[in-house]
Amino acid sequence: MSYSIFQSGRSRRNGTFHNLESGIEEQIEALRDELAELTRLVGKSSRHQGEKIRSQAGAGYEELLGRSEDLLRELQHGYERGATEMRETVRKHPLATIGAAAAFGLAIAFFARR
């Protein structure tokens, strides 16, 4: 008879442990579901942020490209103006140009000897 008392106590304990174990498994499953949802939301947010950054970078690139083209045109016009002024100066003052070129050549020769 004492065996049956212990047996009924064990079955009650095993039932309690089983209920506890079932509750823990349910909580774990709920946490897994929440974690999966959180992962999905983070992925969606990351994609959105990536697209936003990509769009901003593309707009910045286009703006930079436009500015560099404008700068290149300005440099070309400046070079053309300088070349035109140089030709006009040489035509107006040919002797002074030859003298300046000779002085420049002598200066280079002087520094090349040292």
Side-chain angles (χ1 to χ4, degrees):
M1 186 146 180
S2 68
Y3 180 77
S4 64
I5 293 174
F6 287 126
Q7 184 65 25
S8 65
R10 280 187 190 153
S11 66
R12 273 188 269 136
R13 276 190 244 140
N14 285 342
T16 304
F17 287 135
H18 180 69
N19 290 342
L20 183 61
E21 187 176 293
S22 296
I24 290 173
E25 287 176 357
E26 289 172 4
Q27 289 177 353
I28 289 173
E29 188 62 32
L31 287 173
R32 283 184 182 148
D33 292 343
E34 288 179 15
L35 184 58
E37 179 65 19
L38 181 62
T39 302
R40 187 186 67 78
L41 289 173
V42 167
K44 184 178 178 181
S45 176
S46 296
R47 279 191 303 276
H48 178 69
Q49 289 295 329
E51 291 170 0
K52 184 178 176 182
I53 289 171
R54 189 177 304 117
S55 173
Q56 289 174 346
Y61 174 75
E62 293 297 325
E63 183 180 343
L64 181 63
L65 188 61
R67 286 183 184 176
S68 64
E69 289 173 351
D70 292 342
L71 181 60
L72 181 61
R73 273 194 293 277
E74 287 179 27
L75 288 173
Q76 287 174 339
H77 289 302
Y79 175 76
E80 290 170 2
R81 281 192 308 265
T84 302
E85 289 176 12
M86 178 71 79
R87 282 189 212 112
E88 289 176 14
T89 303
V90 169
R91 284 185 192 141
K92 289 180 182 176
H93 309 289
L95 294 178
T97 303
I98 292 172
F104 183 72
L106 287 174
I108 289 176
F110 178 74
F111 287 121
R113 284 189 185 174
R114 288 187 157 204

